[in-house]
Amino acid sequence: MSYLAKNYNRKKISFKKGKGSYLYTSNGAKYLDFVQGIAVNCLGHAHPKLVETIKNQSKKLWHVSNAFQIPEGEKLAKKLCKKTFAESVMFQNSGAEATEAAIKVARRYFYSIGKPNKNRILCIKNSFHGRTLATIFASGSKKMTEGFGPKVPGFDHVIFRDTKPRFPNLNNKIKKNTAAIMVETIMGEGGVKPIPDKCLKYLRKICNKKNILLILDEVQSGISRSGDFFAFEQSKIKPDIVPIAKGIGGGFPIGAVLMNKRVASGMIPGTHGSTFGGNPLAMAIGNEVMNIVSNKKFLNSVKKMSKYFLLNLNIIKEKYPSMIKEIRGRGFLIGIQLYKDQTKFIKKLMDNKLLTIRAAENVIRILPPLNVKKKEIDKALKIINKVCQDLS
Ligand SMILES: *Cc1c(COP(=O)(O)O)cnc(C)c1O
C-alpha cells in the first residue's frame, strides 16, 4: 500500500546510496546509473566537492528572503554571465518554473516597450517545457494537456520534422503578435533530437527580421551536457533568453532564466519572484558545480569521452541493423532509437544492472554523469551489446 499519488509508473526498485556513476540497493546490488536523475546529477552521486560544499554552507546559512542581498547568488549569476551570452540572471527552483519565467520575461519586455499585444509564444508541437499549466500548453502535447483544460491561451505551434523543410510553414505561423519562438536546443523527452545548427541559425534570422525573441530551453541540454556549456554554442548564434535547471544544481533543485540586457530591462522590482529561488544553500552548490563543469579541460573531456561512447554505439548499431534504427544526440545526451517499442530493451538493460530511461519515438535515453570514467562507458557498451544479442 502506497500513500503516494499514482502519477508515476515507478519501477519496483529503490536505492540506499549512490557514489559517482553507481547506485546501490539495500541488499547490495550495484547498478550503473546512466539516468542520473534525468541529467540532474551532472557530477554523479555524492561528489566529494559538492558534499563538502553543502556541509559547509548548511552550517552557515540556508535561506534568506530575496528582500535581502544574497552574495552567493551574485557570484553564481556573474559566473553564468561571464561564461555565456547572458547579462542578467533570475533564479528559480526547477525547469518548469524557469521556462515559465522565460515566457514572462518575453511578454514583459514587449509590454515595457509599449507593445502589450505582442505576447504569443511559438513552440514546437510535442516539445517538452515542463508540467505547469502554461508549460504543458506550450508543449502542445495531447498526452500532457488532456484533462487539464481550459486551455492556457497564447501559444502557437509549428511542427519539427526529420525531413526538409524541417519547420514547414514557419513563416505563416509567425503572427503580428508573436513575441517569441521557444524551442529546446536538443529535444530531450521528444526523443533526443538536436535541432540542426542550420535550423537554429535560420530561427535566429527570422527572429531578427520580425523583431521577436528567441528562447532556447536548455534545461536538459545545458550545463556542459552536450560537450559545450550550452548546446546552441556550436551554431554560433545568440539567443535572447535561456531557461536552465537540471544540471546546474548537481542534484540540488535550482532553476534560472538567463537573458540579455535588452529583455532584462522589463523585469523591474515587483514583476517576478520566487520564495526559494536563489537561496544561499542552493547558490553555494551552484557555484561549486559551475567551478567544476564550466572549464575548458572538463568540457574537452566530455567531448572526448562522449565521442568514444557514440562511436562505439554506432559500431553496435552496425552489428544489429534490424534492431537499432539510429544513434542520436550530442555529448552525453544520447538516444538509441529502436525500430520497435523500447520497454523490453530498457528492462533487459536493468536486469543487467544498467539504468537508462525512455524518450519518445522508441528511444532509449542515456545520460551518464559528465565525469563518467572510460571503464564505466566500456561496461555499459558491453551490457548494451549483450542485450542486443539476447533480443535478436
Ligand atoms: C526537464 C525539463 C523541463 C522541466 O523541468 P522540471 O524541473 O521537471 O520542471 C523543462 N524543459 C526541458 C527541456 C526539460 O528537459
Side-chain angles (χ1 to χ4, degrees), residues 94-96 128-130 184 217 219-220 246:
S94 68
F128 187 85
H129 299 292
E184 298 163 78
D217 182 344
V219 168
Q220 190 158 161
K246 293 195 168 97

Side-chain angles (χ1 to χ4, degrees), residues 272-322:
H272 187 64
S274 164
T275 298
F276 292 116
N279 67 74
L281 187 57
M283 295 298 99
I285 297 162
N287 272 297
E288 192 54 42
V289 170
M290 272 304 277
N291 290 347
I292 301 170
V293 306
S294 68
N295 72 69
K296 220 169 175 132
K297 202 173 141 210
F298 186 88
L299 281 162
N300 279 338
S301 109
V302 173
K303 277 198 181 102
K304 196 175 126 206
M305 295 295 255
S306 61
K307 209 169 144 188
Y308 172 78
F309 200 177
L310 285 164
L311 186 86
N312 282 284
L313 284 172
N314 272 299
I315 290 172
I316 296 177
K317 172 186 171 268
E318 298 302 316
K319 276 168 69 182
Y320 300 96
S322 57

Side-chain angles (χ1 to χ4, degrees), residues 248-287:
I248 186 63
F252 198 88
I254 305 178
V257 183
L258 276 58
M259 52 200 151
N260 62 28
K261 212 160 53 191
R262 179 164 75 115
V263 299
S265 66
M267 303 310 286
I268 56 172
T271 49
H272 187 64
S274 164
T275 298
F276 292 116
N279 67 74
L281 187 57
M283 295 298 99
I285 297 162
N287 272 297

